[in-house]
Amino acid sequence: MKPILTLLPLIAALLALPEMASAQFPGANRQQQQQGQQQGLDQLDVLLDTFDVFYFYADNPNLEIPFSDTTLDDFFRQYDPTRRRRLDYRQLGILGSAHEPIVFEVPERRGFDIGQHQYDLYMTNGDQLKYYRLEKPVSIFAHTIGSEQADSYTKADFSRNFANGLNYTLDYDRITQFGENTQYPNQNVRNTTFNNGLWFQHPNNRYEAFFSVAANTIQMEDNGGVWEEPALGGEFSSPSAAEVLLGDARTRHAHREVSYTHYYRFGGGQDSIKGTRRAYTIAHKARFQNSLYKYADAYNPAVDSFYNRFPAFLIDPRGARFYLRHRQYENEFKLATFKLRGEGRDEAVQQRDLLEVGAVHTLHQLVQTNGDSTLNNLFLTGRYRLNPSERLLIDLRGHLGLLANAGDYRVSGDLFFDFKKLGQLELRGVSQLYSPTLMQHRMYLSERQLYRNNFDKTLSTTLQGKYILPGVQFSAEARYHLLNNFIYFGTDGLPQQTGVPISIGQLIVEKNFNLFWNLHFDNLFALQQSSQEVLRLPTFFGKHSFYYAGKWFRVLDVKLGVDLRYNEAFRANYYNPITGQFQLQDEQTIPFYPAADAFFLMKVTRFRAFFKWENGTAAFLDDYFYQTALYPYHRAVFRIGINWRFLD
């Protein structure tokens, strides 16, 4: 309770400051939230002015989402993908670094998996590429710059129609962190995403195809964490004066993907007597992905203290070398039937119902220095979706594994019901059985086998319910997870499996207040508890925003305020750059730290800008901000960002 008591005067002090306006509260637009969850997002990340533009994804082109919000939404100022979401992820104190959830989430699995997901939020594959139904070309450019010009984040999206039913879309992201004054030694980042997509629709609307080329590259310098912090104040207070565990370590992940998804549709259309007719589709997707995973360091016993902590990884006196190439050849076939509504020019296309069955085969080829291997995955898939009105949605999904992953399965069910003035109810249940990842099963390091395990499959069950009262901007969500045969990485950096079931209970409450004089106070607070020590979680996590929102000079929309985030002091995981995994550690208990960011946002027509003082708490507390053990955040820095949209 002591950290919470420490927090109370800080929240009270915030009430004397102006801060930014709340975005659209969860539940106000169910279709936007539903699609966002399906794509692994908590909210829409870009919102355009209303001009009859809709977007969708290649896996279901009959489910469109309109752009409708014209406000300075919550997530505009949260440029960092680990914070551009309802529930934050923790990272290594620098934009673009490895991350994992603060509030526990069960990973969604299907088939063979390498087990390197620490950079997922910075990458976009063909299934996540947005396609647009529009009349005018749309261009969106966003750029943020930190306290040094070498620290920047650039985003660009573009879409336009061409003749003969062809549409082109582009998605580009670049994170660059090369600054010297606000970063710790050997901590540079360069992450790049470059996706191109073509959408073709035949004039008779019977055939449509999607062709995408996706390139994602992660380049990191890994310092293994800080073992001696810089002095606070004085000549040696710069982060560059810190002592780190690894002085010359680098990671590179490169993913290249080509995919082609096409549909042939028959039936459908309108009947003057019966209304909308049932449609049927035959779908096929072919996908090729070539991934490269590399890690290397040059061991220097006079500098590197990483190997003193983890001697199992020092199997070559020259340092560690990890190399893996993974190629995937995938074919998926689906048969579906559905009825549509909203096929008008100015309406988002929606499905009243959907029944879909299919099969997906994936050939995996692994290339390593100690030999190659091949395995086949075959999964049967199915989905039933019923959405007869805006008040009811039922969505059931499942897959069953054959061949190399025989017995693996996943079934999930979602229910949404709108009780109008009485609120909205969301229920979800998931059960899945999945095989260990490659990184949990075995690892070759410097051409030698570091470990090999024969773990059992993990069985996970999740039940959750959420009740929303949009009228009073309140929601309460309860989650329960049960994990059997949970696999984790221990304090020695090596994978282990526990045969003891682990249960995790969670409660997430949101309440937003519209105060006087255009003042707003938005709050999210999460409680969670794990039954076993091998899964270490902070008991509570909270984030709050206190802000002023208004219009100046009749043309300038502004928001001015403070964001606050914090979690319980706990023995957080450590990130091991060699395995690319978050593991247990007993060296550091990260302190309770109320991290506050002051910001100012403005919008004029289609131009937006923000000015942000990040981790301003550091100017008042003689302590470092940690979310991951041994990886402190930078001290207080200033960041500027712009977002410009062009329609023509």
Side-chain angles (χ1 to χ4, degrees):
M1 292 295 295
K2 185 177 180 180
I4 298 181
L5 294 175
T6 305
L7 181 66
L8 291 178
L10 202 70
I11 295 177
L14 283 175
L15 293 174
L17 300 172
E19 189 200 309
M20 158 178 169
S22 87
Q24 178 173 292
F25 191 76
N29 189 325
R30 175 60 195 168
Q31 288 293 348
Q32 289 184 352
Q33 291 182 0
Q34 173 69 19
Q35 186 67 11
Q37 291 169 359
Q38 293 172 6
Q39 297 299 321
L41 302 175
D42 290 297
Q43 293 285 346
L44 299 177
D45 55 330
V46 178
L47 296 171
L48 293 176
D49 298 322
T50 301
F51 52 89
D52 301 331
V53 172
F54 308 91
Y55 77 81
F56 56 90
Y57 299 90
D59 68 338
N60 191 352
N62 297 307
L63 184 61
E64 295 183 339
I65 301 172
F67 290 105
S68 59
D69 194 344
T70 61
T71 64
L72 288 168
D73 63 280
D74 270 357
F75 297 96
F76 169 58
R77 68 186 182 274
Q78 304 297 5
Y79 61 91
D80 186 342
T82 64
R83 299 185 64 188
R84 196 179 179 87
R85 51 198 312 108
R86 176 170 170 253
L87 297 172
D88 293 11
Y89 277 40
R90 57 171 170 253
Q91 37 106 314
L92 310 186
I94 181 174
L95 175 66
S97 58
H99 50 67
E100 68 170 352
I102 295 177
V103 179
F104 178 77
E105 300 174 2
V106 176
E108 183 173 341
R109 290 282 308 278
R110 188 183 74 182
F112 176 77
D113 194 304
I114 295 295
Q116 296 274 336
H117 295 288
Q118 68 272 36
Y119 304 117
D120 280 1
L121 296 183
Y122 312 125
M123 300 188 290
T124 305
N125 58 34
D127 292 338
Q128 297 168 321
L129 183 63
K130 295 176 182 175
Y131 292 90
Y132 297 84
R133 180 165 67 87
L134 42 73
E135 296 181 4
K136 297 180 180 180
V138 174
S139 302
I140 306 170
F141 175 80
H143 182 74
T144 70
I145 186 169
S147 57
E148 298 182 58
Q149 198 167 15
D151 298 341
S152 65
Y153 186 10
T154 302
K155 294 175 62 68
D157 294 277
F158 171 77
S159 181
R160 68 158 295 166
N161 294 328
F162 292 90
N164 302 318
L166 195 64
N167 172 276
Y168 171 74
T169 186
L170 176 148
D171 176 18
Y172 173 83
D173 284 25
R174 166 64 74 87
I175 296 175
T176 303
Q177 291 289 122
F178 282 173
E180 297 181 357
N181 297 324
T182 59
Q183 293 171 202
Y184 298 94
N186 200 40
Q187 203 182 31
N188 289 340
V189 175
R190 176 178 287 171
N191 300 340
T192 306
T193 291
F194 185 52
N195 288 355
N196 296 266
L198 289 173
W199 167 36
F200 169 75
Q201 189 172 35
H202 194 274
N204 65 13
N205 293 328
R206 297 300 184 191
Y207 180 81
E208 59 184 325
F210 302 87
F211 176 76
S212 67
V213 178
N216 293 277
T217 304
I218 305 293
Q219 298 184 97
M220 305 287 301
E221 290 186 1
D222 297 298
N223 61 22
V226 172
W227 66 267
E228 184 173 337
E229 299 169 344
L232 292 173
E235 182 180 355
F236 301 102
S237 62
S238 169
S240 59
E243 299 291 341
V244 298
L245 272 66
L246 289 168
D248 184 22
R250 287 172 171 78
T251 294
R252 175 181 169 84
H253 291 184
H255 305 276
R256 306 292 182 261
E257 179 189 275
V258 179
S259 66
Y260 184 73
T261 305
H262 54 138
Y263 299 84
Y264 182 76
R265 171 178 166 182
F266 50 96
Q270 295 290 329
D271 187 287
S272 59
I273 299 177
K274 296 182 179 181
T276 302
R277 293 194 298 263
R278 180 164 296 279
Y280 302 86
T281 61
I282 302 173
H284 170 244
K285 179 173 75 173
R287 183 172 69 99
F288 169 71
Q289 187 176 65
N290 187 11
S291 299
L292 176 67
Y293 304 88
K294 294 177 65 176
Y295 170 86
D297 65 49
Y299 176 54
N300 183 348
V303 175
D304 298 337
S305 57
F306 173 88
Y307 292 103
N308 295 333
R309 289 171 167 79
F310 309 106
F313 294 90
L314 187 59
I315 60 178
D316 190 314
R318 297 170 297 179
R321 300 288 185 275
F322 175 74
Y323 173 91
L324 171 64
R325 185 173 292 279
H326 177 213
R327 298 190 181 97
Q328 299 180 64
Y329 304 85
E330 183 175 286
N331 277 283
E332 182 175 9
F333 295 89
K334 294 187 293 186
L335 299 174
T337 179
F338 54 86
K339 278 190 175 182
L340 295 179
R341 69 169 185 269
E343 292 189 270
R345 172 182 170 184
D346 299 332
E347 296 178 90
V349 174
Q350 302 293 332
Q351 292 168 325
R352 291 180 181 272
D353 60 46
L354 170 68
L355 176 61
E356 179 183 274
V357 295
V360 54
H361 173 263
T362 309
L363 173 67
H364 298 272
Q365 293 181 337
L366 300 177
V367 179
Q368 292 183 281
T369 54
N370 285 60
D372 304 342
S373 56
T374 301
L375 68 153
N376 288 276
N377 282 171
L378 178 61
F379 281 85
L380 305 180
T381 64
R383 182 181 183 187
Y384 175 70
R385 187 176 189 272
L386 179 63
N387 188 200
S389 70
E390 295 295 328
R391 296 185 58 195
L392 175 65
L393 172 63
I394 300 173
D395 196 355
L396 308 175
R397 299 169 183 250
H399 66 244
L400 175 64
L402 306 173
L403 301 181
N405 282 76
D408 286 15
Y409 74 87
R410 176 184 170 91
V411 291
S412 67
D414 292 89
L415 170 66
F416 168 80
F417 195 84
D418 190 342
F419 299 97
K420 293 187 176 180
K421 293 183 179 181
L422 296 179
Q424 300 167 345
L425 177 65
E426 297 178 7
L427 299 175
R428 180 175 176 81
V430 181
S431 177
Q432 60 178 344
L433 180 70
Y434 51 91
S435 302
T437 67
L438 178 68
M439 297 304 299
Q440 293 169 345
H441 172 58
R442 75 180 189 203
M443 182 177 186
Y444 290 103
L445 191 65
S446 303
E447 302 186 11
R448 301 178 188 178
Q449 182 174 288
L450 179 62
Y451 58 80
R452 178 183 288 268
N453 302 299
N454 189 26
F455 291 142
D456 293 328
K457 296 182 179 183
T458 299
L459 175 64
S460 72
T461 303
T462 297
L463 299 173
Q464 61 189 70
K466 183 177 181 179
Y467 191 70
I468 307 166
L469 287 169
V472 296
Q473 302 184 90
F474 171 83
S475 74
E477 179 179 0
R479 299 178 181 178
Y480 175 76
H481 308 277
L482 180 62
L483 305 175
N484 291 279
N485 297 323
F486 178 68
I487 300 174
Y488 63 98
F489 284 74
T491 56
D492 58 358
L494 303 179
Q496 302 176 37
Q497 185 172 55
T498 176
V500 179
I502 302 175
S503 60
I504 305 103
Q506 297 172 321
L507 177 64
I508 305 166
V509 178
E510 293 178 83
K511 178 68 177 87
N512 298 344
F513 298 92
N514 297 326
L515 307 176
F516 55 90
W517 194 59
N518 292 333
L519 294 179
H520 303 260
F521 190 30
D522 299 346
N523 305 272
L524 182 148
F525 192 79
L527 294 169
Q528 59 183 349
Q529 184 68 52
S530 170
S531 64
Q532 298 296 325
E533 177 67 11
V534 298
L535 184 57
R536 299 175 182 175
L537 304 169
T539 302
F540 60 82
F541 163 74
K543 60 180 183 179
H544 311 270
S545 296
F546 181 77
Y547 54 89
Y548 161 86
K551 187 181 288 288
W552 293 356
F553 315 113
R554 298 184 179 180
V555 295
L556 186 66
D557 292 314
V558 300
K559 292 184 179 180
L560 174 68
V562 175
D563 290 327
L564 175 71
R565 54 180 170 144
Y566 56 88
N567 54 255
E568 177 201 25
F570 76 114
R571 196 159 290 179
N573 286 341
Y574 166 76
Y575 175 71
N576 188 324
I578 295 183
T579 60
Q581 309 296 317
F582 287 84
Q583 65 178 62
L584 300 181
Q585 59 85 32
D586 294 326
E587 183 174 346
Q588 181 188 29
T589 297
I590 66 171
F592 172 82
Y593 186 100
D597 306 329
F599 62 85
F600 173 77
L601 287 77
M602 56 172 284
K603 173 179 179 284
V604 180
T605 62
R606 300 187 185 105
F607 176 81
R608 306 182 189 191
F610 72 78
F611 306 86
K612 193 173 183 182
W613 189 37
E614 296 183 323
N615 192 19
T617 308
F620 307 99
L621 295 183
D622 292 334
D623 204 352
Y624 281 92
F625 176 33
Y626 286 87
Q627 285 188 319
T628 303
L630 303 186
Y631 288 94
Y633 272 68
H634 51 69
R635 303 291 286 172
V637 297
F638 191 70
R639 185 172 285 268
I640 301 174
I642 63 170
N643 181 295
W644 207 327
R645 292 164 303 182
F646 306 90
L647 311 175
D648 208 356

